[in-house]
Amino acid sequence: MAEIPVPYSYDGRDFEGMLVCDDSVTEPRPAILMQPDWLGVSRHGIEIARDFGGSDYVVMMADMFGAGYGEREKTFDELMKISRAVRADLPHILGCGRAADRAMTAEAEARGLVARSGARGIIGYCIGGGFALEQSRAGADYAGTVAFHVTLPQPVDGDAKPDFKGPVLVFHGSADPVTPREMIDTLEAELTGAGIDWQVMMYGHASHSFCDIGMFNELQRYDEKLTRQSYEMTRYFFSGLL
């Protein structure tokens, strides 16, 4: 699997995304912008990108926290403070997310990894799921949006009219202590009001971070079976869109 750093700038700051793909495949593949969890572009996030993408996709992992962020150890409180601050900054989510998409799409096209001007999907994990939803509800041109165990799914600007360009698929755990069922109910109401095609797969008894490899603590519980099931359904979801 190739791991290709892609630097870009936004608002006077340096960021570095990562293209993750199977370099044994010579044909262009669909591009998926990935918003990782609060650890950002890190070994943990790259491992998840490799697991998700396999030989089917070119995963464009966005950096929303700044170059080098994922290389430094952080406490739980630091992660909470930093990630919540970014999540509340809608202009940054949209502007930095757009810069990440443009830079990595251009690099992937230049390398012949993806078809030029091809349709792209977007996925997000945990708080990255919130980033992905904000980008899509703001009208970003993604053929489909997938959120895995999303954190903070509600819009920052509750008065803005959502402008999703494609369907939305959400995977969530009924026992998620970070994002309780009531928040998903509110998201469902928003998606229904937007008049788009949406689906929520609610896994009974599942906790938070069930797709985050190696996460086992009081809040996060990785589940390989649910991960495989979620990824199979995601591939089917994107098969008619990309």
Side-chain angles (χ1 to χ4, degrees):
M1 297 288 284
E3 301 170 9
I4 306 166
V6 181
Y8 51 93
S9 298
Y10 173 72
D11 197 26
R13 294 177 58 195
D14 294 329
F15 298 84
E16 187 172 86
M18 185 77 69
L19 294 177
V20 179
C21 61
D22 184 346
D23 56 1
S24 70
V25 178
T26 58
E27 295 297 318
R29 285 146 287 170
I32 304 287
L33 183 72
M34 171 184 165
Q35 288 286 5
D37 63 19
W38 64 359
L39 297 178
V41 179
S42 60
R43 288 313 314 172
H44 166 75
I46 292 170
E47 187 176 3
I48 292 173
R50 291 162 61 106
D51 191 41
F52 169 78
S55 60
D56 297 320
Y57 302 114
V58 174
V59 178
M60 308 188 303
M61 187 187 305
D63 173 20
M64 304 294 282
F65 301 107
Y69 169 87
E71 300 170 2
R72 182 175 65 84
E73 288 286 335
K74 290 168 282 294
T75 66
F76 179 89
D77 289 342
E78 284 182 295
L79 290 167
M80 184 73 74
K81 181 179 179 180
I82 295 169
S83 64
R84 292 319 192 262
V86 173
R87 182 67 184 89
D89 189 346
L90 184 58
H92 176 82
I93 292 172
L94 301 182
C96 190
R98 187 163 49 246
D101 188 311
R102 289 174 176 171
M104 288 189 287
T105 298
E107 183 69 21
E109 288 180 350
R111 291 173 176 266
L113 300 174
V114 301
R116 291 189 178 274
S117 303
R120 303 176 319 290
I122 185 170
I123 65 174
Y125 295 81
C126 304
I127 205 156
F131 297 158
L133 285 170
E134 290 287 20
Q135 290 178 257
S136 292
R137 62 167 54 99
D141 189 20
Y142 296 111
T145 304
V146 180
F148 303 96
H149 38 82
V150 59
T151 302
L152 299 176
Q154 67 274 18
V156 173
D157 183 358
D159 295 326
K161 182 179 179 180
D163 186 25
F164 292 93
K165 302 302 185 187
V168 174
L169 175 60
V170 176
F171 296 96
H172 207 69
S174 68
D176 190 321
V178 177
T179 306
R181 174 69 212 219
E182 293 76 16
M183 287 187 176
I184 300 300
D185 291 342
T186 300
L187 175 62
E188 290 179 1
E190 176 195 0
L191 298 174
T192 298
I196 63 165
D197 177 20
W198 64 267
Q199 300 173 59
V200 171
M201 174 57 68
M202 185 65 68
Y203 293 128
H205 314 293
S207 187
H208 195 61
S209 296
F210 52 80
C211 290
D212 283 5
I213 299 170
M215 289 296 184
F216 297 101
N217 55 51
E218 61 185 34
L219 293 179
Q220 301 166 296
R221 183 65 56 179
Y222 172 63
D223 189 310
E224 184 176 4
K225 180 180 178 181
L226 295 185
T227 299
R228 300 275 75 76
Q229 181 175 331
S230 299
Y231 288 173
E232 288 175 9
M233 294 178 68
T234 299
R235 281 170 168 72
Y236 181 78
F237 172 79
F238 279 133
S239 67
L241 302 172
L242 303 179

